[in-house]
Amino acid sequence: MSTENRGKTYTVERGATKLRAGQGLGTGLGVVIKHFADAFTKKLDSPEKTSGVFTVQYPEERLPLAEAYRNFPILLYDDASGQELCTSCFQCQRICPPQVIHMAQAKDPATGKAIPAVSAFVIEYDACMSCGLCAEVCPFDAIKMDQEFELSTDYHSGLTVDKTDLNRPISFYEKLAPTFWGEVKDGALKKLQANIKRRPGELGIAPQMLGKVPTNPETAPLELRTTT
Ligand code: SF4
Ligand code: SF4
């Protein structure tokens, strides 16, 4: 400060508002009180409605997850027919960056020819990076991303998951992601119907649905078919 300005009184303006003594303190205190009050009005039914700064008492309390939230892949089967949507086209296996998807295509035991169904499907969850590329590339909407994240285990091999544990009914995914499934549902079910016609007997039926659904009515049971 130059010597000629010494002793003068200055008023500091913050924006267009002149603050009186103590006014800034009052404003800051107001913010603190608002956050304090918000902490007692937390709502856990929707992320959009949630406001304020508070602690979620996990695992007793949980914030709902957004539809687009993804963790690890699962495979879908049709609730009514028990038929898996996967045709073993290998596209997800090819695109998976860490190469953690492994599968084998089913074969018609009567002819030895490959059919659009999968006989074995394994994903190594411990090395999956949840990128979702497998689900994006699948032309049959057979593989989707689940939201389950509590998968810790005390044995490493428990994270190598086979078809029996990967399989979920379509109704499960429809509840999880109603918008996403609604966008692809008609096309996916149409393709499934076309593929079922090429699956003899029990081939293509999810392991957990065997014995609960009739075998493919459009093809003869395996024991009645003749080798051509
Ligand atoms: S989410 Fe990504 S890393 Fe995981 S299995 Fe699918 S493609 Fe592979
Ligand atoms: S999950 Fe989809 S992309 Fe992967 S093999 Fe099956 S049908 Fe093909």
Side-chain angles (χ1 to χ4, degrees):
M1 186 182 286
S2 60
T3 47
E4 67 269 19
N5 286 334
R6 277 186 188 153
K8 286 186 180 175
T9 304
Y10 293 89
T11 304
V12 178
E13 291 195 14
R14 298 185 193 280
T17 316
K18 281 186 185 174
L19 289 178
R20 294 173 182 278
Q23 195 176 345
L25 182 67
T27 306
L29 206 55
V31 173
V32 172
I33 291 168
K34 181 179 180 309
H35 283 303
F36 185 70
D38 280 347
F40 290 97
T41 59
K42 67 178 173 182
K43 301 182 186 78
L44 301 181
D45 56 335
S46 153
E48 290 78 33
K49 286 192 218 158
T50 305
S51 65
V53 179
F54 55 80
T55 303
V56 174
Q57 302 296 333
Y58 179 86
E60 288 80 18
E61 290 181 342
R62 289 155 192 262
L63 282 171
L65 300 169
E67 186 172 337
Y69 174 80
R70 63 171 190 255
N71 206 26
F72 292 125
I74 49 172
L75 294 172
L76 299 186
Y77 67 85
D78 178 41
D79 293 62
S81 65
Q83 291 275 349
E84 296 167 337
L85 274 65
C86 178
T87 63
S88 70
C89 71
F90 292 88
Q91 292 208 37
C92 56
Q93 188 187 69
R94 285 192 200 104
I95 204 167
C96 176
Q99 295 286 284
V100 297
I101 300 178
H102 313 278
M103 74 181 76
Q105 188 164 26
K107 287 188 178 163
D108 184 336
T111 64
K113 287 184 182 166
I115 60 164
V118 70
S119 61
F121 201 113
V122 172
I123 300 180
E124 298 169 70
Y125 272 180
D126 54 340
C128 168
M129 55 188 203
S130 305
C131 65
L133 285 175
C134 51
E136 272 185 47
V137 79
C138 178
F140 298 94
D141 291 291
I143 188 166
K144 296 292 179 188
M145 301 304 286
D146 194 11
Q147 296 189 337
E148 179 59 61
F149 54 84
E150 293 171 320
L151 295 168
S152 46
T153 173
D154 56 3
Y155 60 107
H156 189 242
S157 59
L159 291 172
T160 299
V161 189
D162 71 11
K163 196 153 70 93
T164 310
D165 291 325
L166 288 169
N167 273 343
R168 303 281 187 285
I170 286 175
S171 56
F172 170 87
Y173 181 67
E174 196 166 23
K175 203 171 161 196
L176 202 69
T179 315
F180 298 154
W181 180 247
E183 287 168 0
V184 300
K185 179 179 177 179
D186 292 346
L189 293 180
K190 203 171 163 187
K191 287 176 193 171
L192 175 65
Q193 290 312 316
N195 287 322
I196 288 176
K197 292 178 183 163
R198 297 168 58 199
R199 296 173 174 176
E202 294 178 337
L203 292 177
I205 295 178
Q208 52 270 69
M209 294 299 280
L210 285 171
K212 296 180 188 167
V213 290
T215 53
N216 191 347
E218 303 205 23
T219 55
L222 291 178
E223 60 273 19
L224 301 180
R225 302 174 79 227
T226 53
T227 308
T228 54

